[in-house]
Amino acid sequence: MDGMTPELSGEAFRRYARDWLRDNAPSGFLADQPGYTPPGLEQSLAWEAAMHRAGLAGITWPKAYGGHGRTLREHLIANQEIGRLALPESVSSIGKELAGPIILAVGTEEQKLRYLPPILEMREMWCQGFSEPDAGSDLAGLRTRAVPDGDGWRVTGQKIWTSGAYKAKRCLLLARTGTVEDRHKGLALFAVPMDTPGIRVVPIRQMNDKQSFCEVFFDDVRVEPEDALGKPDEGWSAAIRVLGIERATNRMYRAWRFENELRHLVAACRQDESLAPLLRDSAYRQRIAATVTDIEMVKGHVEPVVEALVAGQAIGARGSLMKLHWSEAHQRFAALAQEMLGMAAPDAPPSTLQAQKRFQEIYLQARAETIYAGTTEIQLGIIADRVLQLPKGK
């Protein structure tokens, strides 16, 4: 079933989303079910394209650009239902959660029509060229240069931790048109085709043996004028404005996916005679209860932010509160799951082995969660400066 009745909203929309996901999620996609097999890229692309056609992606984007023109409330409902299932993460989150909103904010009408529909239809994947070896969380220190070249630009520099660069068709690139001393001034955004001469991608092997992160080198890369996003000095304000909303609104399913993971852990322990006693141990019960509290706190960050945005209010730095709490809490939970499942007997049942495999991957991935989208230290600084308005130290 593709498409949805326009008048669906509230609980009717929730029932639609829940039923569609139940009836259409491919067999083997759910990490908490027997027979789970991690999908390949083509399978993931097909699944996410189907979700978009069904109205469960691009929910708030205008219809003119391939979206569904609905509100953040429907976006939250869809994310709650997606999160309740152990579905794979999006393979095009950069395009849908970062590039798309920035293009909507600063792009021309021609750029919106050109770039946005292919993102939702999963025809074009994007990567994000922000972080550099000496400018990770401190984006204002980046050194990649963009210099005028006729009516376009020439870009030279290096980016790192560029997720999905090896499979991306375009790079959302932040480059400096002024000097490093300008800090926030003179930063420009570009939509650079990844097959442009002078671009070299080097995958980085991670601790989980994947290579989703990459180094990307730009050697005198020509950028056409139509691929410049916004004004030459608008890059910083556009990126920060969208990043602030991204931390609060993107991947809203995290709290509900977190809840799914906790249910899976408890179920796996109940089904294993060697692990079941842990669920009666007071120390572990307290840590599980603390996890439940953490999950409810993450939910408590998301829902008020949605209502504030729907009401047209600015959320400021509140996105940092959610990002900080979720990433720290998820790391604690991942360590707890590893500890508990690690006590299984050598002849553990298949359900335990499946859970061990899932939570080992979650544990390794969680190590990066306090780093990407702004480190814990950066989030604490933002909260101190912009939320608590504490005096700066000398």
Side-chain angles (χ1 to χ4, degrees), residues 60-203:
T60 63
W61 292 19
K63 292 182 180 181
Y65 311 128
H68 299 284
R70 303 179 71 89
T71 74
L72 267 175
R73 291 193 182 100
E74 281 79 35
H75 179 71
L76 173 59
I77 288 171
N79 271 260
Q80 289 170 332
E81 297 306 316
I82 291 167
R84 289 189 173 105
L85 301 176
L87 289 162
E89 298 287 344
S90 170
V91 296
S92 187
S93 59
I94 297 298
K96 291 189 283 190
E97 298 176 0
L98 189 66
I102 283 180
I103 293 165
L104 282 168
V106 303
T108 64
E109 184 67 12
E110 181 182 359
Q111 288 173 330
K112 293 172 186 177
L113 292 169
R114 176 186 176 193
Y115 296 135
L116 297 178
I119 291 175
L120 293 178
E121 294 163 9
M122 303 302 291
R123 292 188 284 112
E124 291 189 359
M125 301 176 68
W126 288 60
C127 61
Q128 174 190 356
F130 280 24
S131 295
E132 299 183 3
D134 295 319
S137 294
D138 180 22
L139 276 182
L142 68 82
R143 295 176 179 273
T144 295
R145 291 292 310 278
V147 298
D149 179 46
D151 57 353
W153 301 83
R154 289 279 176 179
V155 175
T156 299
Q158 176 186 0
K159 299 294 180 176
I160 198 167
W161 313 124
T162 309
S163 300
Y166 63 94
K167 61 186 178 184
K169 185 167 183 177
R170 287 190 179 269
C171 177
L172 179 66
L173 178 69
L174 189 64
R176 185 171 295 286
T177 58
T179 66
V180 176
E181 289 70 29
D182 289 336
R183 297 288 290 172
H184 307 109
K185 299 177 182 178
L187 292 175
L189 281 166
F190 302 96
V192 183
M194 289 297 288
D195 59 358
T196 305
I199 296 179
R200 181 165 60 95
V201 176
V202 180

Side-chain angles (χ1 to χ4, degrees), residues 1-5 16 20 24 45-58 66-68 120-123:
M1 174 180 174
D2 285 344
M4 61 180 153
T5 306
Y16 165 80
W20 189 91
N24 291 276
L45 291 172
W47 166 242
E48 292 188 48
M51 289 180 67
H52 167 246
R53 292 193 299 271
L56 301 181
H68 299 284
L120 293 178
E121 294 163 9
M122 303 302 291
R123 292 188 284 112

Side-chain angles (χ1 to χ4, degrees), residues 212-353:
S212 57
F213 295 141
C214 303
E215 291 181 280
V216 183
F217 297 89
F218 297 84
D219 183 12
D220 196 32
V221 173
R222 166 75 181 182
V223 179
E224 300 301 329
E226 62 268 24
D227 290 331
L229 298 172
K231 300 175 183 177
D233 60 350
E234 197 174 16
W236 176 261
S237 60
I240 292 303
R241 183 168 69 249
V242 173
L243 282 171
I245 296 176
E246 177 215 9
R247 289 173 182 141
T249 64
N250 288 334
R251 305 190 198 186
M252 282 184 176
Y253 58 75
R254 279 176 169 151
W256 291 268
R257 181 64 48 78
F258 198 164
E259 200 168 44
N260 170 280
E261 293 167 1
L262 178 58
R263 286 198 302 270
H264 188 188
L265 173 63
V266 171
C269 289
R270 282 176 176 159
Q271 295 168 26
D272 189 318
E273 291 183 358
S274 66
L275 298 180
L278 298 179
L279 299 177
R280 299 188 291 273
D281 180 272
S282 61
Y284 282 109
R285 288 172 66 86
Q286 288 177 19
R287 292 169 70 183
I288 290 170
T291 300
V292 173
T293 301
D294 280 332
I295 291 169
E296 292 304 313
M297 288 179 67
V298 177
K299 292 180 182 178
H301 283 303
V302 174
E303 291 159 343
V305 163
V306 167
E307 293 306 315
L309 288 170
V310 168
Q313 300 172 14
I315 61 169
R318 277 190 283 175
S320 289
L321 289 167
M322 178 182 168
K323 198 278 176 182
L324 173 68
H325 177 71
W326 169 78
S327 59
E328 296 276 348
H330 199 231
Q331 281 189 354
R332 290 193 296 270
F333 166 70
L336 172 63
Q338 280 286 86
E339 181 180 325
M340 294 178 71
L341 293 170
M343 297 183 189
D347 58 345
S351 58
T352 303
L353 298 177

